[in-house]
């Protein structure tokens, strides 16, 4: 509410003439009774402060700092009751106007819901509010006032030291997240590879992060023992012992960022079994070891079976998973190890184990991991409000002990 372009400065003439007055964080227009309320919604619980509100125009700044659940709730308050909109404004009100830079906790859902729509106006379905939606890209060059009033800003921006951050802010590049958890060590051209047949001596296992209303994530891994593999283009190559490949995944979502598909545990078990039969034909995998999973799936109330037992029941064999390490500090350790593995994978001649992803792992790992934001209060950790489910199952695997606890021989259907 301060500065040369603030509301008090812009409305000074109207305030002096009696057309409006500014009361705390409200701007009240005296000639027609309209009011602009400047408010916050910092926490999830704050959205209920607007229960019963009637918003004719909802404007949100820096939308990516909000989880989608807050935006959806506020969108439900956008309505006009008992008001006849003049013909020249028909179709304009009620409306929603939002703005944001790339990055932060809401990057994935904002990109999916707005940026990926492409140019033009799009009529959304009832499950997305039923309104018309349009994404209008903006670059620094589209803000002449900024460049005129502060011509040195562009050079200060370039002095931030991160090319990704500069590109995000200057060009509005939504394909990267500057300052993210792994954006400086992720290179799709190197970390994403075409599928190839798995050597018989490589270890294979799976990892799992539980979710119902939020997505669950299953990852299948192969670990190199240093022997050569034949790539999709016929070349032969070896990697340092311990290099990991995420060769397949099952991301349990409903197609919308950070929303689960609500499958029961036994259904997940059956789905894992069915997908592993496909791996027999596609990659030549025969044996899958039990891998780490969210430790919460092993807990159960008295007299009830755990989620882990339900998965085993659906799978048709016990011991699909073992407890992942979720001890204090393990989450920051997972991020540190992932960064180290990604960085190792960037080297032309690898000397340390790295991590790679088959290009079929698009729904979970490849879509969400490169854009994960850091926790603003704990920069050594990923923001837990972000879509971090694939990151969690990856993290369980990369810090897991290598001991074999259970194996399952797979046969082609």
């Amino acid at each position: 509410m301060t500065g040369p372009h603030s509301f008090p400065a812009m409305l000074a003439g109207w305030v002096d003439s009696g057309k409006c007055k500014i009361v705390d964080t409200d701007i009240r227009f005296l000639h027609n009774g309209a009011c602009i309320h400047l408010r916050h919604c910092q926490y999830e619980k704050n959205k209920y402060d607007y229960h019963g509100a009637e918003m004719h125009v909802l404007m949100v700044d820096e939308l990516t700092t909000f989880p989608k659940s807050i935006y959806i709730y506020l969108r439900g308050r956008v309505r006009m009751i008992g008001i006849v909109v003049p013909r020249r404004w028909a179709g304009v009100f009620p409306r929603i106007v939002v703005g944001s830079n790339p990055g932060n906790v809401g990057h994935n859902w904002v990109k999916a819901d707005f940026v990926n729509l492409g140019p033009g106006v799009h009529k959304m379905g009832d499950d997305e509010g039923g309104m018309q939606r349009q994404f209008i890209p903006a670059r620094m060059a589209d803000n002449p006032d900024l460049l005129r009033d502060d011509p040195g800003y562009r050079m200060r921006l370039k002095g931030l030291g991160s090319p990704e951050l500069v590109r995000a802010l200057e060009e509005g590049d939504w394909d990267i997240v500057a300052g993210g958890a792994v954006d400086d060590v992720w290179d799709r051209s190197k970390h994403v590879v075409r599928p190839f047949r798995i050597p018989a001596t490589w270890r294979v296992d799976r990892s799992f992060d539980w979710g119902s209303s939020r997505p669950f994530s299953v990852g299948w891994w192969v670990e190199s023992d240093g022997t050569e593999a034949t790539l999709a283009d016929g070349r032969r190559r070896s990697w340092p012992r311990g290099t990991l490949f995420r060769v397949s995944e099952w991301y349990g979502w409903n197609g919308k960022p950070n929303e689960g598909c609500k499958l029961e545990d036994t259904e997940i078990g059956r789905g894992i079994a069915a997908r592993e039969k496909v791996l027999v034909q596609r990659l030549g995998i025969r044996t899958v070891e039990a891998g780490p999973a969210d430790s919460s799936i092993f807990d159960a109330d008295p007299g009830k079976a755990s989620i882990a037992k339900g998965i085993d029941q659906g799978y048709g064999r016990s011991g699909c998973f073992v407890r992942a390490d979720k001890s204090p500090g393990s989450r920051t350790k997972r991020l540190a190890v992932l960064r180290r593995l990604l960085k190792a994978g960037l080297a032309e001649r690898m000397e340390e184990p790295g991590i790679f992803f088959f290009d079929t792992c698009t729904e979970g790992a490849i879509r969400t991991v490169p854009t994960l934001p850091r926790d603003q209060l704990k920069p050594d950790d990923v923001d837990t409000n972000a879509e971090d489910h694939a990151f969690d199952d990856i993290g369980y695997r990369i810090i897991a002990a290598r001991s074999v606890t259970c194996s399952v021989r797979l046969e082609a259907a």
Side-chain angles (χ1 to χ4, degrees):
M1 292 284 284
T2 60
H5 295 291
S6 65
F7 278 122
M10 291 190 294
L11 298 174
W14 282 14
V15 171
D16 292 341
S17 66
K19 290 184 177 180
C20 73
K21 65 179 179 179
I22 299 175
V23 181
D24 296 326
T25 56
D26 286 348
I27 301 169
R28 302 175 184 176
F29 296 87
L30 304 179
H31 66 288
N32 64 5
C35 188
I36 298 176
H37 304 279
L38 305 179
R39 297 289 188 267
H40 79 89
C41 196
Q42 184 175 3
Y43 303 110
E44 184 80 24
K45 64 181 180 180
N46 294 134
K47 69 186 183 184
Y48 299 111
D49 296 342
Y50 303 95
H51 183 72
E54 179 180 325
M55 304 178 188
H56 302 161
V57 179
L58 170 64
M59 305 181 74
V60 183
D61 190 26
E62 295 299 348
L63 184 62
T64 56
T65 63
F66 297 90
K68 187 175 181 179
S69 57
I70 288 180
Y71 172 72
I72 290 175
Y73 190 88
L74 295 179
R75 185 178 67 194
R77 308 298 94 205
V78 177
R79 50 188 176 160
M80 296 186 74
I81 301 173
I83 298 176
V84 178
V85 179
R87 179 174 298 178
R88 62 174 177 161
W89 300 113
V92 177
F93 297 98
R95 70 185 304 170
I96 302 172
V97 180
V98 299
S100 191
N101 284 303
N104 222 296
V105 64
H107 177 94
N108 284 334
W109 78 260
V110 173
K111 184 174 185 288
D113 285 15
F114 292 91
V115 182
N116 291 349
L117 289 177
V121 178
H122 302 264
K123 180 66 168 65
M124 307 308 296
D126 292 346
D127 60 339
E128 278 295 323
M131 303 176 74
Q132 295 186 93
R133 187 177 296 174
Q134 182 177 18
F135 169 67
I136 303 175
R139 302 168 300 163
M140 183 190 298
D142 298 319
N143 190 344
D145 288 347
L146 172 63
L147 299 177
R148 182 193 66 228
D149 295 346
D150 190 356
Y153 177 72
R154 186 189 296 271
M155 295 308 299
R156 291 197 299 277
L157 190 64
K158 291 185 179 299
L160 291 173
S162 167
E164 295 83 9
L165 178 59
V166 173
R167 192 164 73 250
L169 297 179
E170 187 171 5
E171 299 296 330
D173 188 346
W174 286 82
D175 289 330
I176 59 95
V177 177
V182 300
D183 67 323
D184 59 322
V185 291
W186 170 269
D187 185 339
R188 183 187 179 100
S189 66
K190 294 184 177 180
H191 291 120
V192 178
V193 299
R194 292 173 60 192
F196 55 83
R197 299 284 288 186
I198 306 305
T201 57
W202 286 19
R203 184 176 191 270
V204 185
D205 60 11
R206 64 179 86 80
S207 56
F208 177 64
D209 184 59
W210 164 253
S212 180
S213 60
R214 297 297 187 194
F216 65 81
S217 184
V218 185
W220 283 269
W221 301 89
V222 299
E223 181 177 337
S224 169
D225 62 359
T227 59
E228 283 189 337
T230 302
L231 303 184
D233 60 6
R235 292 183 296 120
R236 294 188 63 81
R237 179 181 171 180
S238 63
W239 291 266
R241 179 186 294 270
T243 294
L244 291 170
F245 291 82
R246 186 180 180 91
V247 297
S248 187
E249 69 177 15
W250 181 18
Y251 197 67
W253 65 329
N254 63 6
K256 298 179 181 179
N258 216 18
E259 293 186 16
C261 60
K262 301 181 179 179
L263 284 184
E264 298 293 334
D265 46 20
T266 53
E267 295 178 288
I268 293 175
R270 287 193 290 270
I272 291 173
R275 284 162 175 78
E276 290 184 356
K277 289 182 179 180
V278 175
L279 294 180
V280 173
Q281 298 292 342
R282 187 160 61 89
L283 301 176
I285 290 173
R286 289 293 184 272
T287 302
V288 179
E289 310 289 351
D294 184 348
S295 58
S296 67
I297 72 170
F298 298 95
D299 302 329
D301 294 329
K304 294 184 178 180
S306 66
I307 292 170
K309 287 190 177 297
I311 292 174
D312 288 346
Q313 179 183 346
Y315 187 88
R317 192 183 298 262
S318 62
C320 286
F321 297 104
V322 296
R323 288 180 182 268
D325 178 9
K326 295 189 70 175
S327 59
S330 61
R331 187 174 169 88
T332 56
K333 179 182 178 181
R334 294 196 290 269
L335 176 57
V337 173
L338 176 60
R339 287 180 53 82
R340 186 177 73 234
L341 293 171
L342 288 171
K343 188 173 182 179
L346 295 173
E348 291 298 328
R349 297 179 61 87
M350 292 175 58
E351 297 182 358
E352 299 293 331
I355 189 170
F356 300 92
F357 302 84
F358 277 16
D359 62 13
T360 52
C361 300
T362 56
E363 293 187 342
I366 295 173
R367 181 178 65 87
T368 65
V369 170
T371 57
L372 284 170
R374 291 183 181 270
D375 189 307
Q376 294 184 358
L377 299 179
K378 296 182 293 182
D380 291 334
D381 193 2
V382 167
D383 192 323
T384 57
N385 291 316
E387 192 173 358
D388 61 354
H389 317 290
F391 165 76
D392 281 339
D393 101 67
I394 292 169
Y396 300 150
R397 176 59 183 87
I398 61 179
I399 68 170
R402 301 296 197 267
S403 60
V404 177
T405 56
C406 176
S407 63
V408 176
R409 184 76 175 178
L410 302 178
E411 300 296 340

